[in-house]
Structure formats: structure tokens, C-alpha cells
Amino acid sequence: MDAELPKAPVSRPAAGWEDAVALTGFILVAVGQASNQVLARGLAGSVPPFSLAFFRWSIITIGLAPFAITAIRDGKIPLAQNLWPILAAGFLGMFLCGGPVYIAGITTTAIHIALIFALSPIMVLLISAALGIEHIGPLQWLGTALALAGALLIVSGGHLETLTQSSAAWGDLLVVGAMLGWSGYTLVQSRVAPRASLLARVSLFSAAGALCSLPPALQEMWATPAAVFNARAFEAYVFAGLVPGLMAYAGFAWLGARFGSVRTSLVLYVAPIASALLSWIILGEPPKLIHLVGGLLILGGVWASLRK
């Protein structure tokens, strides 16, 4: 057997270039994800929520269809065995994170949406522990407590009575439901046809999300056709399908393939920052001190909970 040749060390310029590419990719993906939260707040109910979700997921489905068709043809996605898991993933990750989030944008801010969604890794950890998949150590329990305290601080605005007296709290609670759905989606999607690529599976999940969104979307089309079919709504559908849709998913898949899942998970920490900056620049809603404190608790808690 031939001796293995030693690998040439990576030169500093090459390593620096790779780091620059990674940083740029993280920022672009985070901005793409955050743009959906800003869209939800910026539209503020002017575009019917389930119609927006239906067209968004339809665009993503069609855009990624070549990946799904290839995977199905190659036998990497046996539809007969995966039909119900695909529907479950589409309901949890696409339906619950579609229309309800756009409704929430009427009464809550994009910063709130981003910070609440940042709790998803905590929920995944707790669900995994409850199912016996993951063991939670002392540091992870501490991180969980910090993150949940930060979320409670943000949702309540520092006053617990806000949870029952403020209409804004109901928007936050809708986002909490969507975040729980995304956490369930995170656990389910990785177990559906694992031999297929992420983009192939996302196409099928998006199709399921569009299917679940169709009944309420049809009701909106029947009740308020002028609100569903107009130039502004069309622009929103295209933007939602392309930027926080195809571009964000494709970027995330590229980062995962190039830099690995561990480094790609850093997007979790960049997305709330991107959302806060976009909210400030586009919507004129700067972060407040309570967002900074709550955000630090959440992101610090998520960081601690992901340590082994």
C-alpha cells in the first residue's frame, strides 16, 4: 500500500478568502431570512396572509422542483413511504410558519418575530430530551432557562400583565406557535428521505405547505379578490418566494455543503441582528433596550444550550 502523501497546509490568503466567503454567505442568508419578518411587519395585513403564504410556497416548490424530480427519479425519495412525513413537515414548517406569522406582523414587530424564532434550537433540544433522543446537561439547562427568560421579557415588555391585556401579546403568541411548529419541522425533516438533498426535500415540503395554505387562501380570494390580486400583492408574492424563499434556502444549503452544519448554524445568531437592522432601516423601528437585553439572554442561552 502506498504511503499517504502529506497534505499541503492551507495558505493564509486561501484561508482568509474562505473565511470572507463564509462571512458573506452567513450575512446574505441571515438577511434573506430576516426579510420575511420585515415583510410580515411592513405589509401589516394589507396583503391577505394565507394567499401570501400560498404563493410564496408555490414559487419555492416550482423553483426547486428539478431537484425533487431528480431525487424521486433516482429513488432517493420514495413517495409512497414518505407521503405522510412530507405532509407533516410541510404543515409544521411551512403552513404554521406562513400565514400565522403574516397575521402576527399586524400587532408585533419584526424584531420580536426574529428573537422568538431564535428560541427554536432550545425547543428542539427540549423535545429531543423528552423523546429520549438527547441528554440535557447542567450547562444546557442553564442556557434553556436564560433563553426562555429572555423570550418572556420580550413578549411581556417587562410587565407580565401585558401577556393578558395587550393585543400585541397575541401576535407574539402566534409567533410562539409558529416557532414551535418550526422546531417540530426541524426534527421531522431530517428523517424524511435522508438520502435526498436538502433542496429536493424543501421542494416537497413547500408543496405540502402550499397545499395546507390553499383552503384559507381560497377563502381570501373569494372574500377579498381586490386585496389578493393587485400589483402590490404580486410584488409581495414574488419577493417572498425569491428572497426569503429560494435564495435563503439555496444559500443555507450551499453553506452547509461547503462549511458543514456546525459552522452553518451560526446563522442562528446573525439572523436576529439582521432583522433588527432591517427593521430600523426599512420600517423605522429601532431596537429598544428591552430587545437588547432579551436578545442577549436568548442568544446567550442558545449558545450555552448547544454546548456539550
Side-chain angles (χ1 to χ4, degrees), residues 118-122 143 147 268-269 297-307:
L119 284 171
S120 180
I122 296 287
L268 294 170
Y269 304 99
L297 286 172
I298 290 174
L299 296 180
V302 170
W303 179 86
S305 72
L306 294 179
R307 301 285 78 83

Side-chain angles (χ1 to χ4, degrees), residues 127-208:
I127 295 171
S128 298
L131 296 177
I133 302 173
E134 185 88 16
H135 170 73
I136 299 182
L139 183 60
Q140 292 172 313
W141 277 120
L142 175 61
T144 299
L146 288 174
L148 293 178
L152 186 62
L153 179 66
I154 289 170
V155 173
S156 68
H159 305 283
L160 292 180
E161 62 271 16
T162 303
L163 295 176
T164 58
Q165 296 177 0
S166 173
S167 60
W170 290 106
D172 287 337
L173 291 177
L174 276 176
V175 181
V176 169
M179 180 272 296
L180 292 174
W182 185 259
S183 302
Y185 164 81
T186 301
L187 289 170
V188 171
Q189 65 87 20
S190 60
R191 291 164 172 76
V192 179
R195 293 173 55 224
S197 69
L198 172 64
L199 296 182
R201 290 181 287 122
V202 167
S203 178
L204 295 177
F205 301 152
S206 298

